[in-house]
Amino acid sequence: DVKVTQSSRYLVKRTGEKVFLECVQDMDHENMFWYRQDPGLGLRLIYFSYDVKMKEKGDIPEGYSVSREKKERFSLILESASTNQTSMYLCASSPSGARGEKLFFGSGTQLSVL
Amino acid sequence: QKEVEQDPGPLSVPEGAIVSLNCTYSNSAFQYFMWYRQYSRKGPELLMYTYSSGNKEDGRFTAQVDKSSKYISLFIRDSQPSDSATYLCAITYNFNKFYFGSGTKLNVKP
């Protein structure tokens, strides 16, 4: 089974801190995604990557950056955490091409910024 | 205008009921339609995937797409307490960018 592992289940940080969220997948998928999930707003795409060192902005990239140095790992960075970044963060991966309709999600990281 | 709108719920039904979950989307160019199920404290999992208009059935689940109305539906027959979860519709052009509905929380009462 595909496994997408997010490094932390719960995280509490202070305003202004630099925050790293890590995601690792074990199925050699080309595509990786970072979403945030907020009540009433659904999943919103922050960034995605279709190859190592490649990244594309999603719908809400402001205040975030990403890094993909290895195929299996996709990191989300909050440069200076703010309270409005308190949210559930979900990482996902998928194969490229015609099988790409299936996103495999991690269990999420609930981030609280105080 | 959001790319996809979903009935927010929550929805509470007795065990054995037929459940109908619905989404509308804005752009007729979308070709791929999915339903994800998300249990509490878990990430979403793909439940159904359809391409173009029509119905697709998988056990107790039927996904329906009406491209002329830009309307997608998920029907659950003989609903079970284990179906209690949040259901998210999703659409995409090309598998690079997915647009998700806000989710409908379903509770099936024993």
Side-chain angles (χ1 to χ4, degrees), chain B residues 43-102:
Chain B
E45 292 180 296
L46 182 67
L47 187 61
M48 299 283 286
Y49 159 67
T50 55
Y51 168 69
S52 194
S53 282
N55 291 355
K56 183 175 182 179
E57 194 172 313
D58 184 1
R60 297 183 294 107
F61 298 88
T62 300
Q64 188 175 81
V65 176
D66 181 349
K67 292 190 82 177
S68 62
S69 303
K70 297 198 279 289
Y71 199 82
I72 57 177
S73 301
L74 178 71
F75 299 98
I76 307 174
R77 289 185 302 280
D78 187 25
S79 56
Q80 301 295 308
S82 59
D83 296 328
S84 297
T86 297
Y87 291 81
L88 300 143
C89 60
I91 56 178
T92 184
Y93 298 107
N94 59 6
F95 306 132
N96 281 345
K97 199 167 181 183
F98 294 77
Y99 297 92
F100 284 84
S102 56

Side-chain angles (χ1 to χ4, degrees), chain A residues 9 33 37 59 97 101 103, chain B residues 36 38 41 44 95-97:
Chain A
R9 187 73 184 91
F33 306 81
Q37 185 174 28
D59 297 314
E101 78 279 2
L103 292 174
Chain B
Y36 282 79
Q38 185 176 22
R41 290 186 289 277
F95 306 132
N96 281 345
K97 199 167 181 183

